[in-house]
Amino acid sequence: MHPRVRKLFGTVRGVVEGNFLGSVWLTQDNGAWREGTPGRWGLALRALRLRSNMKQEDAASRLKVSQSYISRLENGVIEPSCEITTRLRELLCNPVHRPLVDQLRTIVRHAPHSVALLALRDGTVRVIEASARYRQAGPPFEAYVPDMETADPLGQAVSDIVREVLACGAFAGDVACVEQVWQAPVDGERRCFHSVQTPVFTGAEWLVHSATASISPETYNAFLGRNGGPERVHDFRAARAE
């Protein structure tokens, strides 16, 4: 979008979840960034430190200021000078410090397979990003669009999957991943699918990377026989052993 306006949230968590320029109004015009909301540089810097496990002393060294300056900046006591603002912009815009959620969205959006990124928001599992193949695969995937509630249009099979993902603690990082096989009617016939749900921590919340592929009835039955049911939960010890 050109010019591009980015507005993020007014809390530290909101900044961590948002883009790498933090809770600052920034307008990009011909590559030049202009700040529009005073008092937000400190919040953006704190969010960067939280998701990067960066200490105030480290930030001070990078910005060539004192640790006390960082503390006052983050607490809104002072505003950065033009020189410090330039250094802050360079630090915050460095791709190394881009939030993981932005990178995950890109990975999912451009994946050639049926992939989605799920988030637990206000007690509801939502798809916050999906690949083109995931959206265009037809039932039961066609309802998986960004920010749409997964339970409403997808039918009982997908509702069961969502419930199992919640029950096993995937949105709390309690498991390494969950494999599931399931069936759903597609174009008048019952088709089989294999899904893998993998928790990923962004620094602000747990998301679930969900990948699905169509499988043959033989593969479906083999999974049931091998695992004693349609689901296999991998813990971290088993994942390391594998």
Side-chain angles (χ1 to χ4, degrees), residues 126-154:
R126 298 177 181 273
V127 175
I128 62 172
E129 192 62 76
S131 66
R133 185 168 180 178
Y134 203 92
R135 294 192 300 267
Q136 298 168 4
F141 304 119
E142 62 185 6
Y144 275 81
V145 294
D147 258 0
M148 194 168 198
E149 295 186 4
T150 61
D152 269 346
L154 299 180

mmCIF file of all heavy atoms in Angstrom, residues 126-154:
data_model
loop_
_atom_site.group_PDB
_atom_site.id
_atom_site.type_symbol
_atom_site.label_atom_id
_atom_site.label_comp_id
_atom_site.label_asym_id
_atom_site.label_seq_id
_atom_site.Cartn_x
_atom_site.Cartn_y
_atom_site.Cartn_z
ATOM 1 N N ARG A 126 -9.443 -18.885 15.520
ATOM 2 C CA ARG A 126 -9.614 -18.157 14.266
ATOM 3 C C ARG A 126 -8.448 -18.435 13.333
ATOM 4 O O ARG A 126 -7.334 -18.686 13.775
ATOM 5 C CB ARG A 126 -9.697 -16.647 14.517
ATOM 6 C CG ARG A 126 -10.881 -16.210 15.369
ATOM 7 C CD ARG A 126 -10.841 -14.697 15.613
ATOM 8 N NE ARG A 126 -11.932 -14.261 16.443
ATOM 9 C CZ ARG A 126 -13.132 -13.929 15.982
ATOM 10 N NH1 ARG A 126 -13.371 -13.986 14.682
ATOM 11 N NH2 ARG A 126 -14.088 -13.531 16.798
ATOM 12 N N VAL A 127 -8.723 -18.371 12.056
ATOM 13 C CA VAL A 127 -7.672 -18.449 11.052
ATOM 14 C C VAL A 127 -7.206 -17.021 10.770
ATOM 15 O O VAL A 127 -7.969 -16.198 10.278
ATOM 16 C CB VAL A 127 -8.184 -19.105 9.754
ATOM 17 C CG1 VAL A 127 -7.113 -19.062 8.670
ATOM 18 C CG2 VAL A 127 -8.602 -20.536 10.023
ATOM 19 N N ILE A 128 -5.950 -16.716 11.118
ATOM 20 C CA ILE A 128 -5.450 -15.358 10.916
ATOM 21 C C ILE A 128 -4.640 -15.241 9.631
ATOM 22 O O ILE A 128 -4.326 -14.135 9.196
ATOM 23 C CB ILE A 128 -4.617 -14.871 12.116
ATOM 24 C CG1 ILE A 128 -3.373 -15.742 12.323
ATOM 25 C CG2 ILE A 128 -5.480 -14.832 13.377
ATOM 26 C CD1 ILE A 128 -2.419 -15.187 13.372
ATOM 27 N N GLU A 129 -4.300 -16.389 9.029
ATOM 28 C CA GLU A 129 -3.651 -16.381 7.719
ATOM 29 C C GLU A 129 -3.873 -17.741 7.081
ATOM 30 O O GLU A 129 -4.015 -18.738 7.775
ATOM 31 C CB GLU A 129 -2.153 -16.081 7.853
ATOM 32 C CG GLU A 129 -1.462 -15.781 6.532
ATOM 33 C CD GLU A 129 -2.037 -14.554 5.859
ATOM 34 O OE1 GLU A 129 -1.738 -13.427 6.300
ATOM 35 O OE2 GLU A 129 -2.807 -14.738 4.887
ATOM 36 N N ALA A 130 -3.935 -17.788 5.750
ATOM 37 C CA ALA A 130 -4.128 -19.055 5.051
ATOM 38 C C ALA A 130 -3.501 -18.979 3.673
ATOM 39 O O ALA A 130 -3.456 -17.917 3.055
ATOM 40 C CB ALA A 130 -5.620 -19.384 4.937
ATOM 41 N N SER A 131 -3.002 -20.100 3.199
ATOM 42 C CA SER A 131 -2.443 -20.156 1.855
ATOM 43 C C SER A 131 -3.568 -20.144 0.829
ATOM 44 O O SER A 131 -4.725 -20.457 1.135
ATOM 45 C CB SER A 131 -1.611 -21.428 1.685
ATOM 46 O OG SER A 131 -2.442 -22.576 1.750
ATOM 47 N N ALA A 132 -3.217 -19.795 -0.398
ATOM 48 C CA ALA A 132 -4.217 -19.768 -1.463
ATOM 49 C C ALA A 132 -4.830 -21.152 -1.675
ATOM 50 O O ALA A 132 -6.044 -21.288 -1.850
ATOM 51 C CB ALA A 132 -3.578 -19.264 -2.756
ATOM 52 N N ARG A 133 -4.010 -22.173 -1.632
ATOM 53 C CA ARG A 133 -4.513 -23.528 -1.834
ATOM 54 C C ARG A 133 -5.450 -23.927 -0.710
ATOM 55 O O ARG A 133 -6.440 -24.628 -0.936
ATOM 56 C CB ARG A 133 -3.343 -24.503 -1.932
ATOM 57 C CG ARG A 133 -3.774 -25.921 -2.273
ATOM 58 C CD ARG A 133 -2.594 -26.788 -2.640
ATOM 59 N NE ARG A 133 -3.013 -28.130 -2.974
ATOM 60 C CZ ARG A 133 -2.199 -29.087 -3.368
ATOM 61 N NH1 ARG A 133 -0.904 -28.836 -3.481
ATOM 62 N NH2 ARG A 133 -2.643 -30.292 -3.647
ATOM 63 N N TYR A 134 -5.151 -23.481 0.498
ATOM 64 C CA TYR A 134 -6.019 -23.784 1.639
ATOM 65 C C TYR A 134 -7.389 -23.150 1.448
ATOM 66 O O TYR A 134 -8.416 -23.761 1.687
ATOM 67 C CB TYR A 134 -5.365 -23.252 2.908
ATOM 68 C CG TYR A 134 -5.829 -23.923 4.176
ATOM 69 C CD1 TYR A 134 -5.155 -25.020 4.690
ATOM 70 C CD2 TYR A 134 -6.932 -23.440 4.874
ATOM 71 C CE1 TYR A 134 -5.563 -25.619 5.858
ATOM 72 C CE2 TYR A 134 -7.348 -24.042 6.041
ATOM 73 C CZ TYR A 134 -6.664 -25.137 6.530
ATOM 74 O OH TYR A 134 -7.073 -25.745 7.681
ATOM 75 N N ARG A 135 -7.397 -21.889 0.984
ATOM 76 C CA ARG A 135 -8.671 -21.187 0.798
ATOM 77 C C ARG A 135 -9.457 -21.723 -0.389
ATOM 78 O O ARG A 135 -10.682 -21.720 -0.388
ATOM 79 C CB ARG A 135 -8.412 -19.697 0.611
ATOM 80 C CG ARG A 135 -7.839 -18.993 1.823
ATOM 81 C CD ARG A 135 -7.883 -17.495 1.652
ATOM 82 N NE ARG A 135 -7.128 -17.057 0.488
ATOM 83 C CZ ARG A 135 -5.859 -16.690 0.516
ATOM 84 N NH1 ARG A 135 -5.203 -16.717 1.660
ATOM 85 N NH2 ARG A 135 -5.235 -16.313 -0.577
ATOM 86 N N GLN A 136 -8.751 -22.152 -1.422
ATOM 87 C CA GLN A 136 -9.411 -22.514 -2.672
ATOM 88 C C GLN A 136 -9.648 -24.004 -2.824
ATOM 89 O O GLN A 136 -10.131 -24.449 -3.859
ATOM 90 C CB GLN A 136 -8.562 -22.008 -3.847
ATOM 91 C CG GLN A 136 -8.421 -20.500 -3.868
ATOM 92 C CD GLN A 136 -7.348 -20.029 -4.837
ATOM 93 O OE1 GLN A 136 -6.751 -20.829 -5.552
ATOM 94 N NE2 GLN A 136 -7.103 -18.729 -4.858
ATOM 95 N N ALA A 137 -9.306 -24.793 -1.796
ATOM 96 C CA ALA A 137 -9.401 -26.244 -1.917
ATOM 97 C C ALA A 137 -10.836 -26.733 -1.982
ATOM 98 O O ALA A 137 -11.077 -27.887 -2.306
ATOM 99 C CB ALA A 137 -8.675 -26.922 -0.756
ATOM 100 N N GLY A 138 -11.789 -25.870 -1.703
ATOM 101 C CA GLY A 138 -13.179 -26.301 -1.685
ATOM 102 C C GLY A 138 -13.553 -26.865 -0.333
ATOM 103 O O GLY A 138 -12.726 -26.939 0.570
ATOM 104 N N PRO A 139 -14.789 -27.280 -0.144
ATOM 105 C CA PRO A 139 -15.207 -27.808 1.145
ATOM 106 C C PRO A 139 -14.268 -28.916 1.597
ATOM 107 O O PRO A 139 -13.855 -29.732 0.770
ATOM 108 C CB PRO A 139 -16.611 -28.360 0.853
ATOM 109 C CG PRO A 139 -17.058 -27.638 -0.383
ATOM 110 C CD PRO A 139 -15.813 -27.388 -1.170
ATOM 111 N N PRO A 140 -13.923 -28.989 2.879
ATOM 112 C CA PRO A 140 -14.365 -28.097 3.953
ATOM 113 C C PRO A 140 -13.444 -26.914 4.185
ATOM 114 O O PRO A 140 -13.532 -26.254 5.201
ATOM 115 C CB PRO A 140 -14.328 -29.023 5.177
ATOM 116 C CG PRO A 140 -13.147 -29.903 4.883
ATOM 117 C CD PRO A 140 -13.148 -30.119 3.391
ATOM 118 N N PHE A 141 -12.552 -26.623 3.234
ATOM 119 C CA PHE A 141 -11.567 -25.584 3.469
ATOM 120 C C PHE A 141 -12.024 -24.199 3.042
ATOM 121 O O PHE A 141 -11.430 -23.213 3.411
ATOM 122 C CB PHE A 141 -10.264 -25.922 2.737
ATOM 123 C CG PHE A 141 -9.709 -27.254 3.120
ATOM 124 C CD1 PHE A 141 -9.551 -28.242 2.180
ATOM 125 C CD2 PHE A 141 -9.360 -27.510 4.433
ATOM 126 C CE1 PHE A 141 -9.043 -29.477 2.538
ATOM 127 C CE2 PHE A 141 -8.847 -28.735 4.803
ATOM 128 C CZ PHE A 141 -8.690 -29.728 3.850
ATOM 129 N N GLU A 142 -13.025 -24.111 2.213
ATOM 130 C CA GLU A 142 -13.354 -22.820 1.630
ATOM 131 C C GLU A 142 -13.777 -21.791 2.675
ATOM 132 O O GLU A 142 -13.681 -20.587 2.441
ATOM 133 C CB GLU A 142 -14.467 -22.971 0.588
ATOM 134 C CG GLU A 142 -15.764 -23.496 1.164
ATOM 135 C CD GLU A 142 -16.784 -23.738 0.069
ATOM 136 O OE1 GLU A 142 -16.429 -23.609 -1.124
ATOM 137 O OE2 GLU A 142 -17.934 -24.055 0.415
ATOM 138 N N ALA A 143 -14.220 -22.256 3.849
ATOM 139 C CA ALA A 143 -14.631 -21.320 4.893
ATOM 140 C C ALA A 143 -13.458 -20.804 5.709
ATOM 141 O O ALA A 143 -13.611 -19.920 6.515
ATOM 142 C CB ALA A 143 -15.652 -21.964 5.816
ATOM 143 N N TYR A 144 -12.276 -21.387 5.511
ATOM 144 C CA TYR A 144 -11.101 -20.943 6.244
ATOM 145 C C TYR A 144 -10.535 -19.693 5.599
ATOM 146 O O TYR A 144 -9.693 -19.757 4.704
ATOM 147 C CB TYR A 144 -10.019 -22.036 6.242
ATOM 148 C CG TYR A 144 -10.166 -23.059 7.330
ATOM 149 C CD1 TYR A 144 -11.068 -24.108 7.188
ATOM 150 C CD2 TYR A 144 -9.401 -22.988 8.479
ATOM 151 C CE1 TYR A 144 -11.199 -25.061 8.178
ATOM 152 C CE2 TYR A 144 -9.524 -23.950 9.471
ATOM 153 C CZ TYR A 144 -10.422 -24.984 9.305
ATOM 154 O OH TYR A 144 -10.534 -25.922 10.298
ATOM 155 N N VAL A 145 -11.022 -18.564 6.036
ATOM 156 C CA VAL A 145 -10.499 -17.292 5.554
ATOM 157 C C VAL A 145 -10.038 -16.496 6.757
ATOM 158 O O VAL A 145 -10.501 -16.717 7.882
ATOM 159 C CB VAL A 145 -11.569 -16.497 4.769
ATOM 160 C CG1 VAL A 145 -11.924 -17.231 3.497
ATOM 161 C CG2 VAL A 145 -12.817 -16.260 5.614
ATOM 162 N N PRO A 146 -9.100 -15.558 6.564
ATOM 163 C CA PRO A 146 -8.556 -14.828 7.706
ATOM 164 C C PRO A 146 -9.636 -14.201 8.587
ATOM 165 O O PRO A 146 -10.592 -13.603 8.114
ATOM 166 C CB PRO A 146 -7.690 -13.754 7.036
ATOM 167 C CG PRO A 146 -7.223 -14.426 5.788
ATOM 168 C CD PRO A 146 -8.407 -15.236 5.322
ATOM 169 N N ASP A 147 -9.444 -14.380 9.897
ATOM 170 C CA ASP A 147 -10.311 -13.814 10.935
ATOM 171 C C ASP A 147 -11.738 -14.362 10.927
ATOM 172 O O ASP A 147 -12.629 -13.777 11.503
ATOM 173 C CB ASP A 147 -10.350 -12.287 10.841
ATOM 174 C CG ASP A 147 -9.463 -11.654 11.899
ATOM 175 O OD1 ASP A 147 -8.852 -12.413 12.676
ATOM 176 O OD2 ASP A 147 -9.370 -10.423 11.948
ATOM 177 N N MET A 148 -11.969 -15.474 10.292
ATOM 178 C CA MET A 148 -13.294 -16.079 10.317
ATOM 179 C C MET A 148 -13.331 -17.151 11.384
ATOM 180 O O MET A 148 -12.381 -17.917 11.537
ATOM 181 C CB MET A 148 -13.630 -16.698 8.961
ATOM 182 C CG MET A 148 -15.094 -17.038 8.790
ATOM 183 S SD MET A 148 -15.444 -17.428 7.052
ATOM 184 C CE MET A 148 -17.215 -17.250 7.038
ATOM 185 N N GLU A 149 -14.409 -17.226 12.141
ATOM 186 C CA GLU A 149 -14.533 -18.247 13.163
ATOM 187 C C GLU A 149 -14.583 -19.617 12.500
ATOM 188 O O GLU A 149 -15.313 -19.836 11.541
ATOM 189 C CB GLU A 149 -15.788 -18.024 14.006
ATOM 190 C CG GLU A 149 -15.730 -16.733 14.812
ATOM 191 C CD GLU A 149 -16.907 -16.591 15.757
ATOM 192 O OE1 GLU A 149 -17.717 -17.532 15.827
ATOM 193 O OE2 GLU A 149 -17.004 -15.549 16.415
ATOM 194 N N THR A 150 -13.781 -20.520 13.022
ATOM 195 C CA THR A 150 -13.667 -21.818 12.367
ATOM 196 C C THR A 150 -14.859 -22.727 12.641
ATOM 197 O O THR A 150 -15.144 -23.608 11.853
ATOM 198 C CB THR A 150 -12.398 -22.546 12.821
ATOM 199 O OG1 THR A 150 -12.483 -22.744 14.230
ATOM 200 C CG2 THR A 150 -11.165 -21.754 12.489
ATOM 201 N N ALA A 151 -15.545 -22.533 13.755
ATOM 202 C CA ALA A 151 -16.569 -23.492 14.145
ATOM 203 C C ALA A 151 -17.843 -23.361 13.312
ATOM 204 O O ALA A 151 -18.519 -24.342 13.050
ATOM 205 C CB ALA A 151 -16.894 -23.330 15.629
ATOM 206 N N ASP A 152 -18.186 -22.156 12.882
ATOM 207 C CA ASP A 152 -19.486 -21.932 12.266
ATOM 208 C C ASP A 152 -19.732 -22.715 10.980
ATOM 209 O O ASP A 152 -20.636 -23.518 10.925
ATOM 210 C CB ASP A 152 -19.694 -20.437 12.000
ATOM 211 C CG ASP A 152 -20.367 -19.760 13.179
ATOM 212 O OD1 ASP A 152 -20.879 -20.489 14.042
ATOM 213 O OD2 ASP A 152 -20.368 -18.534 13.222
ATOM 214 N N PRO A 153 -18.940 -22.524 9.924
ATOM 215 C CA PRO A 153 -19.346 -23.070 8.635
ATOM 216 C C PRO A 153 -18.693 -24.395 8.254
ATOM 217 O O PRO A 153 -18.921 -24.883 7.170
ATOM 218 C CB PRO A 153 -18.893 -21.976 7.669
ATOM 219 C CG PRO A 153 -17.670 -21.424 8.302
ATOM 220 C CD PRO A 153 -17.809 -21.618 9.776
ATOM 221 N N LEU A 154 -17.891 -24.977 9.090
ATOM 222 C CA LEU A 154 -17.037 -26.057 8.615
ATOM 223 C C LEU A 154 -17.580 -27.455 8.826
ATOM 224 O O LEU A 154 -16.998 -28.410 8.349
ATOM 225 C CB LEU A 154 -15.660 -25.956 9.283
ATOM 226 C CG LEU A 154 -14.915 -24.678 8.986
ATOM 227 C CD1 LEU A 154 -13.585 -24.677 9.691
ATOM 228 C CD2 LEU A 154 -14.735 -24.506 7.498
#
